[in-house]
């Protein structure tokens, strides 16, 4: 039988990873609680896959967790619903800490918060089961779709560096991104370190994107840079084919 973790241990400041604990607002409002059989939902975020566990109704109030996964690894746990009770408040950081350590719902019950602990573990296990089902649903299809999208993006876009043009002010070289025959971006790889050049470059790039060619006006006060820019740009257009 697993040992019970005393809640009193939580009074020691700094030992509990409280930055992972986000208590829910109005956790005691039972009117908003879902049935215990409500299926969990998952979404994909930049930080990983976020999965909600089922809502477990207890004598103290509803309990529901939200788990963030990176693959199969649990990286964060957040309480969506919890009883508004001092022992629950003290127990939650311990439960979350143990979950991150064990990477499962097989964790100790916190002494003094048995009801909350049991409900937490049930909601956690539901989230883990849902994540496993989602991961195994269609891995080959997901990989195929990802590879196809990557291949399409690669085929649609082409990056070409123009020739380096030596000027009296310094070297000028552009890099052009094409989507089919369309110029979608221009980047300066080399340019003179001069205030007039710095001011002229955004104007030259904007004119290029509008004209979709190197047939653009020279920027007054930056004639040398403008001519070098257009020469390098035309070389990139020619090299693209």
């Amino acid at each position: 039988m697993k040992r019970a973790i005393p809640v009193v241990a939580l009074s020691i400041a700094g030992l509990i990873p409280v930055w992972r604990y986000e208590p829910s607002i109005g956790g005691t409002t039972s009117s908003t609680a879902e049935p215990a059989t409500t299926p969990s939902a998952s979404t994909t975020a930049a930080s990983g896959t976020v999965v909600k566990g089922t809502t477990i109704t207890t004598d103290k109030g509803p309990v529901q967790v939200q788990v963030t996964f990176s693959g199969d690894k649990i990286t964060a746990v957040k309480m969506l619903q919890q009883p508004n009770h001092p022992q629950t408040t003290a127990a939650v950081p311990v439960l979350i800490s143990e979950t991150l350590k064990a990477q499962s719902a097989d964790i100790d019950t916190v002494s003094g918060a048995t009801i909350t602990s049991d409900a937490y573990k049930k909601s956690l296990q539901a989230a883990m089961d849902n994540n496993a089902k989602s991961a195994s649903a269609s891995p080959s299809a997901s990989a195929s779709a990802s590879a196809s999208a990557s291949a399409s993006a690669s085929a649609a876009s082409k990056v070409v560096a123009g020739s380096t043009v030596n000027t009296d002010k310094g070297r000028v070289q552009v890099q052009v991104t094409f989507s089919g025959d369309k110029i979608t971006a221009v980047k300066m790889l080399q340019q003179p370190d001069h205030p007039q050049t710095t001011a002229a470059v955004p104007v030259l790039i904007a004119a290029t994107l509008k004209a979709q060619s190197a047939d653009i006006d020279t920027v007054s006060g930056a004639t040398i840079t403008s001519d070098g820019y257009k020469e390098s740009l035309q070389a990139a257009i020619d090299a693209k084919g």
Side-chain angles (χ1 to χ4, degrees), residues 7 20-21 31 60 65 85 128 130 136 143 157 159 169 176 190 208 217 219 224-225 231 233:
V7 177
R20 292 184 178 274
Y21 167 50
S31 60
K60 300 292 185 180
V65 304
H85 192 277
M128 294 177 64
N130 189 61
S136 62
S157 297
V159 179
K169 299 292 185 179
V176 186
Q190 298 184 74
T208 301
D217 292 332
V219 176
I224 293 176
T225 295
E231 184 177 337
L233 173 62

Side-chain angles (χ1 to χ4, degrees), residues 3 29 99 106 181 186 197 206-207 215 235:
R3 60 187 177 80
T29 307
T99 301
D106 185 19
D181 293 328
V186 180
T197 293
D215 185 18

Side-chain angles (χ1 to χ4, degrees), residues 207-219:
T208 301
L209 295 174
K210 183 177 181 180
Q212 289 294 303
S213 73
D215 185 18
I216 58 176
D217 292 332
T218 295
V219 176

Side-chain angles (χ1 to χ4, degrees), residues 164-174 188-202 204 221-229 232:
T164 299
V165 180
N166 292 312
T167 74
D168 293 340
K169 299 292 185 179
R171 295 181 175 182
V172 176
Q173 184 183 24
V174 303
M188 296 299 291
L189 298 180
Q190 298 184 74
Q191 69 182 65
D193 184 13
H194 193 278
Q196 288 176 309
T197 293
T198 302
V201 165
L204 293 168
T223 302
I224 293 176
T225 295
S226 297
D227 290 343
Y229 170 93
S232 183

Side-chain angles (χ1 to χ4, degrees), residues 10 60 69 87 95 144 220 223:
L10 303 173
K60 300 292 185 180
F69 297 90
Q87 288 176 308
L95 293 168
S144 176
S220 178
T223 302

